Amino acid sequence: MDRKDFLVKTAVCGAAWAVAASPLKLFGAPAPAAKAKSPELKLSFQEGIAPGDSLEAKLDFMENLGIQGLEPGGGGLASRVSDLTAKLSGRNIKISAICAGFSGFLLAEDAAVRKQCIDSMTEILAAAGELGAAGVILVPAFNSQKPVLPHTPETRAFLVEELHELGEIAAKYHTTVILEPLNRREAHYLRQVADAASLCRDAQSAGMACMGDFWHMTAEETSDYGAFFSGGPYLKHVHVASRRNRIMPGEDGEADNYIDGFRALKAMNYDGYVSFECGTRGNRAETVTAAVNLLRKQWAEAKA
């Protein structure tokens, strides 16, 4: 065999060996799956967002805009289950999550106040389960709520126990407790998505979840992308507002950029809702419509 024939045969054999001995084949790993379809942007409104003098009028407005979720408040929710179910029947709108509405607070020094929180959350969680909500949003303590347990490792361990109890109640009703981090002006204890996710992890309950809020994240997070990713599998809900004055997205001009966060949600295949929690300084019908169009445009521009 001359040198030319040797080189040709060696190259052919080498290529064949490389295919046969690729890492996927050597270790029995499956071939890479086809890239998953990019998730859709599912928008939700709290009850005060859409214009209208009645819930039916608000729902009509929402449906015309293609809004898919409604986020009612938790106060008195048990008495509203039948009415909400009837009003949503036949519509392309579902309950996204339930916004708070509980009594007491979980980090109160007074055991009776903590019990108020557990008892009222249990009632709301039962109603949330009937409505098919992803969960009920919970803040462990607002700055205005006192007397409060000290910010110590012992308090965190106690909170984890309380969250396990609540999470198990939520799981029984096929929903979740959704921890919401706030900015330090509103709540000192829980301010970043990663902290909320770590509490969910340590609570060891399938009924625990967390969320991110673009408004609070503006003050507390260094990266929208990193914040959402830090929520990992526990991230079940998102709130949105303008980034300076907590009004409609777009009303704060160029500051209202959500693309970095949307990139993360797409990369995570996030299938929850992005829900409006904000006011407005303009004509509500106009500012709401413009905000929806802005978010859809930025979602389309976001590349995972």
Side-chain angles (χ1 to χ4, degrees), residues 1-10:
M1 182 185 299
D2 62 23
R3 184 171 181 274
K4 180 178 179 182
D5 288 339
F6 173 79
L7 291 174
V8 169
K9 290 186 176 183
T10 300

Side-chain angles (χ1 to χ4, degrees), residues 268-281:
M268 297 168 70
N269 287 317
Y270 173 75
D271 62 358
Y273 292 86
V274 175
S275 192
F276 281 57
E277 185 183 53
C278 50
T280 184
R281 290 178 177 167

